[in-house]
Amino acid sequence: MENLISLVNNIQRACTALGDHGEESSLPTLWDSLPAIAVVGGQGLALLEIVFLDFSGKVSPISLDRAFCNSLLVSTHTLTVCLLLKSSGKSSVLESVVGKDFLPRGSGIVTRRPLVLQLHKIDEGREYAEFMHLPKKRFTDFAQVRKEIEDETDRETGRSKAISSVPIHLSISSPNDGQPESIVADIENMVRAYIEKPNSIILAISPANQDLATSDAIKISREVDPKGERTFGVLTKIDLMDKGTDAVDILEGKSYKMQFPWIGVVNRSQADINKNVDMIAARHREREYFANTPEYKHLAHRMGSEHLAKMLSKHLEQVIKSRIPGIQSLISKTITELEMELGRLGKPIAVDTGGKLYSIMEICRTFDSIYKEHLDGVRPGGEKIHNVFDSQLPAALKRLQFDKHLSMENVRKIITEADGYQPHLIAPEQGYRRLIESSLISIRGPAESTVDAVHSILKDLAHKAISETLVGLAFSAKLNFDFWTEVGNAAVESLERMREESKKATLKLVDMECSYLTVDFFRKLPQDVEKGGNPTHSLFDRYNDSYLRRVGSTVLAYVNMVCASLRNSIPKSIVYCQVREAKRSLLDLFFTDIGKREGKQLGKLLDEDPAIMERRISLAKRLELYRSAQAEIDTVAWAK
């Protein structure tokens, strides 16, 4: 039992230290899964408060200063709000169960000292607060009120983490400006949210000198736990009942039956508390009361604080045992989820120059890798380059319409001009050359367009790779906008240089075809008379339609041969000068430039979004909590 209680205590303390209080947040909570004892009682107006108890002798309450900071005021009543209301005896019961004097009287635990908070409605004027230790000083700035609470705590306890039982008395006076009419219901709903959790053991405290039918504690406990599987009824102030009355019917379960038997307790009186009567003496007096009071003698064996502690301990042991497998499963699942999210957020930005430079290089390498995957087909986009070579270039070459350029009229004109004042003797060689050159020169257009089309694809893929890098590296997604602007600009500048080199190389291929004709092609042509090969024909005969058609056909065949060759060589040139270079050295100049910059300049590029930084820190703390809890559970041997 001690190991199980110690296990839950250690996990609770880890939760508190690492910021898991079961509050609503975007982080997973372990606190809500831990077995706990919730003590609930009331004092009129259905005002119910709750406190969580662990068996290390400490209390983890709903922080009343949270309610205070929201200026929770009751608009129609003057009320003292206490987390442990003396009127229902909750504080004395808790002290008896734990066996230690540790709770401040009549207040909630706020930071390390109790806060007695009185809320008063005034008819008019500005809201203000007053401390008992600072008489006649009114605070209208509630940030200063909060600070004074902290300062006064330090004055009493020093700056240690010790808890002092000396309360801070604070009263807040306010007109009903802006205060909700539903404040009591709001508090009740807050309490309900805690005790309705299946891991809560409810300790419903009711004074014996009040009618159970009006007990707020019983009412709300029955609502959230109708079968009574989690509720223990505790009857206080038995010794203060009117003469001639007793609580036997309640304690025997006759007037109000519960699944677990009612337990009566006799707490210390206020006089005992003032006299510092210790818990040992108080428990001894309690035992004597039940043993020597005729009405309760037959129930004495199951009455008193010690019996309540044993019953709670036994029940808590069973609850812990039943919850541990589920907690283990939750812990393992949550650790995996936290690790995955931390992985997505990436490592924090370094603070030194070398670390910043390394972070930049790592991000750029990730971008570079993604970019190469697009070109290599691992990611989509690179296939568009193949489409340029396989479809767009051939289509552009077809659109050149060489046959129109080689019409009889154009062939006659160019051949005639090439002869000059002397007719050609055997074949119009200069005419052939001019016809071929003027046809091939038009291929420069499609060649240049192909270079530009590939450049456009490479540029689009660079921007796409940047976007995908942002998604893959969530922490860098919020880096300074200038960083990604520089990366994008550097990539585009490199691609521009590659385009210019590619254009030069590709156009040279076309120009080389223009400057040197393949002689073998023409030597293989037939030279018969019918096809214009006879040099003895007259000059006029040499320019007849049949002859001109033959010249045009010959030139077209040669140009088509060159086009077929360029259709293969142009893609090779573009891939070599653009695609290959983009894969090899897209950010080389950017790396060189970054390497020359100082730490401050690098830092301007790596300003991480504070929200991302805060999220990473919170996740790391929560991961530490879950790993700590996992280690605690692994060290405790328990029987199923």
Side-chain angles (χ1 to χ4, degrees):
M1 175 59 187
E2 289 181 1
N3 286 341
L4 291 174
I5 295 297
S6 176
L7 168 65
V8 175
N9 288 345
N10 291 341
I11 296 176
Q12 281 183 335
R13 281 193 288 271
C15 285
T16 300
L18 294 171
D20 180 4
H21 307 293
E23 76 283 0
E24 291 186 8
S25 73
S26 60
L27 293 171
T29 175
L30 182 58
W31 179 273
D32 286 345
S33 301
L34 298 175
I37 296 176
V39 185
V40 62
Q43 176 179 307
L45 298 177
L47 175 61
L48 302 170
E49 301 288 351
I50 188 171
V51 65
F52 282 87
L53 166 71
D54 71 33
F55 276 71
S56 61
K58 295 183 179 179
V59 172
S60 302
I62 296 174
S63 180
L64 194 59
D65 60 352
R66 187 184 310 169
F68 155 67
C69 292
N70 291 329
S71 301
L72 290 180
L73 298 176
V74 178
S75 60
T76 57
H77 299 82
T78 296
L79 180 67
T80 299
V81 180
C82 300
L83 190 58
L84 302 173
L85 293 171
K86 288 189 289 185
S87 60
S88 60
K90 286 179 293 186
S91 58
S92 297
V93 171
L94 288 173
E95 288 180 335
S96 297
V97 169
V98 177
K100 297 178 184 294
D101 286 320
F102 70 99
L103 288 176
R105 312 311 301 172
S107 65
I109 305 296
V110 179
T111 61
R112 288 168 285 122
R113 287 180 63 181
L115 176 69
V116 176
L117 175 62
Q118 293 184 325
L119 307 177
H120 302 283
K121 179 179 179 295
I122 57 178
D123 294 332
E124 58 183 11
R126 186 177 180 184
E127 186 177 66
Y128 64 89
E130 292 179 305
F131 288 96
M132 184 179 291
H133 65 273
L134 294 174
K136 299 182 180 179
K137 182 174 181 179
R138 291 186 174 183
F139 291 79
T140 56
D141 182 351
F142 279 78
Q144 291 300 315
V145 173
R146 208 156 33 244
K147 185 176 185 303
E148 181 58 30
I149 292 174
E150 295 171 359
D151 292 344
E152 178 63 12
T153 299
D154 289 340
R155 283 192 282 269
E156 174 66 26
T157 64
R159 293 195 175 274
S160 67
K161 296 300 180 183
I163 295 176
S164 169
S165 61
V166 180
I168 299 173
H169 291 265
L170 172 67
S171 65
I172 299 176
S173 300
S174 173
N176 190 29
D177 294 340
Q179 301 303 329
E181 296 289 344
S182 60
I183 183 65
V184 173
D186 292 342
I187 295 176
E188 182 176 333
N189 291 335
M190 178 180 68
V191 173
R192 193 187 305 274
Y194 280 90
I195 65 174
E196 68 185 1
K197 294 173 183 176
N199 60 301
S200 293
I201 300 171
I202 304 170
L203 212 58
I205 311 297
S206 297
N209 55 1
Q210 292 183 15
D211 186 359
L212 278 184
T214 62
S215 170
D216 295 320
I218 295 299
K219 174 179 174 289
I220 195 170
S221 298
R222 179 56 60 92
E223 289 176 4
V224 300
D225 181 30
K227 295 182 179 180
E229 297 172 342
R230 302 185 286 115
T231 303
F232 286 82
V234 180
L235 207 60
T236 66
K237 301 186 183 298
I238 292 177
D239 55 328
L240 301 181
M241 295 182 70
D242 294 336
K243 275 192 176 185
T245 62
D246 59 58
V248 173
D249 285 350
I250 297 175
L251 296 175
E252 289 182 347
K254 294 178 181 178
S255 63
Y256 193 93
K257 187 174 180 58
M258 299 184 73
Q259 180 167 318
F260 298 104
W262 279 89
I263 299 174
V265 297
V266 175
N267 298 324
R268 293 179 298 172
S269 66
Q270 188 62 47
D272 292 336
I273 294 168
N274 295 338
K275 293 176 183 178
N276 293 322
V277 175
D278 62 33
M279 297 304 304
I280 296 176
R283 283 185 171 180
H284 178 71
R285 187 182 299 174
E286 183 184 41
R287 286 195 298 271
E288 286 186 342
Y289 175 83
F290 284 111
N292 297 327
T293 303
E295 293 85 355
Y296 303 121
K297 272 187 178 182
H298 67 293
L299 299 172
H301 65 285
R302 61 177 183 85
M303 293 293 114
S305 304
E306 290 175 304
H307 178 72
L308 175 59
K310 290 177 183 177
M311 289 291 292
L312 284 176
S313 296
K314 182 179 179 180
H315 187 72
L316 187 60
E317 179 183 11
Q318 295 172 351
V319 172
I320 293 173
K321 282 184 178 181
S322 68
R323 297 290 179 191
I324 284 181
I327 292 175
Q328 283 180 308
S329 176
L330 171 67
I331 288 173
S332 298
K333 177 176 178 290
T334 307
I335 285 176
T336 300
E337 292 173 350
L338 290 171
E339 288 176 339
M340 289 177 62
E341 186 172 356
L342 275 172
R344 288 193 295 270
L345 291 182
K347 297 178 182 179
I349 299 299
V351 295
D352 60 291
T353 301
K356 291 175 182 176
L357 183 59
Y358 179 81
S359 296
I360 290 174
M361 297 293 283
E362 281 295 293
I363 297 169
C364 290
R365 288 191 189 99
T366 301
F367 159 76
D368 207 40
S369 175
I370 292 174
Y371 188 67
K372 289 176 181 177
E373 288 179 358
H374 279 292
L375 295 177
D376 291 336
V378 178
R379 296 172 186 254
E383 75 281 355
K384 294 180 181 179
I385 296 175
H386 179 266
N387 182 63
V388 171
F389 298 149
D390 194 54
S391 299
Q392 295 183 32
L393 175 60
L397 292 174
K398 283 184 178 180
R399 286 195 297 269
L400 292 177
Q401 298 181 330
F402 295 116
D403 53 339
K404 290 186 177 180
H405 178 66
L406 297 173
S407 63
M408 284 191 297
E409 291 75 11
N410 202 41
V411 170
R412 177 183 288 109
K413 178 177 180 294
I414 292 177
I415 287 179
T416 303
E417 290 175 350
D419 283 347
Y421 69 93
Q422 294 190 53
H424 60 267
L425 300 177
I426 299 176
E429 180 178 327
Q430 289 299 324
Y432 270 107
R433 290 186 180 277
R434 291 188 182 183
L435 285 170
I436 292 171
E437 289 174 2
S438 61
S439 297
L440 293 181
I441 202 71
S442 62
I443 299 177
R444 289 174 62 95
E448 195 168 359
S449 296
T450 304
V451 170
D452 291 337
V454 171
H455 171 76
S456 179
I457 294 171
L458 293 174
K459 187 167 66 172
D460 288 344
L461 291 179
H463 293 308
K464 190 173 184 180
I466 287 177
S467 298
E468 291 172 357
T469 305
L470 296 178
V471 173
L473 298 174
F475 84 97
S476 63
K478 299 297 184 182
L479 292 178
N480 192 305
F481 178 76
D482 292 342
F483 174 82
W484 293 110
T485 300
E486 286 203 30
V487 171
N489 289 343
V492 171
E493 287 174 9
S494 292
L495 292 174
E496 288 287 355
R497 287 192 296 271
M498 295 169 192
R499 173 168 69 168
E500 292 307 311
E501 291 300 317
S502 179
K503 194 169 289 188
K504 290 177 183 178
T506 303
L507 293 180
K508 279 183 180 179
L509 290 176
V510 179
D511 294 342
M512 284 188 288
E513 294 292 346
C514 295
S515 61
Y516 185 83
L517 305 184
T518 305
V519 178
D520 286 346
F521 176 85
F522 296 97
R523 287 176 177 170
K524 292 176 181 179
L525 293 175
Q527 295 292 319
D528 52 52
V529 172
E530 293 180 0
K531 294 185 178 179
N534 190 339
T536 62
H537 283 193
S538 67
L539 180 61
F540 178 80
D541 291 336
R542 289 176 183 176
Y543 293 102
N544 62 31
D545 289 351
S546 175
Y547 180 76
L548 294 174
R549 276 195 295 270
R550 173 58 187 159
V551 172
S553 175
T554 301
V555 171
L556 181 60
Y558 183 81
V559 169
N560 285 336
M561 180 193 73
V562 172
C563 280
S565 175
L566 289 175
R567 181 177 170 180
N568 293 321
S569 58
I570 287 175
K572 290 179 181 179
S573 173
I574 292 174
V575 168
Y576 183 83
C577 296
Q578 286 175 269
V579 181
R580 174 178 169 272
E581 283 300 298
K583 289 174 61 177
R584 188 181 68 84
S585 60
L586 185 62
L587 295 180
D588 279 5
L589 292 179
F590 178 71
F591 291 152
T592 301
D593 176 60
I594 285 292
K596 298 175 182 178
R597 300 190 190 185
E598 297 179 354
K600 288 184 178 179
Q601 293 174 308
L602 297 176
K604 290 180 180 179
L605 296 179
L606 293 176
D607 290 336
E608 190 176 13
D609 186 340
I612 299 293
M613 296 171 62
E614 184 178 343
R615 179 68 178 176
R616 186 188 294 109
I617 292 171
S618 298
L619 287 171
K621 285 184 178 180
R622 199 54 54 96
L623 181 59
E624 180 185 349
L625 165 62
Y626 276 82
R627 285 174 175 166
S628 173
Q630 190 176 57
E632 289 285 349
I633 291 178
D634 290 344
T635 59
V636 175
W638 55 281
K640 293 184 179 179

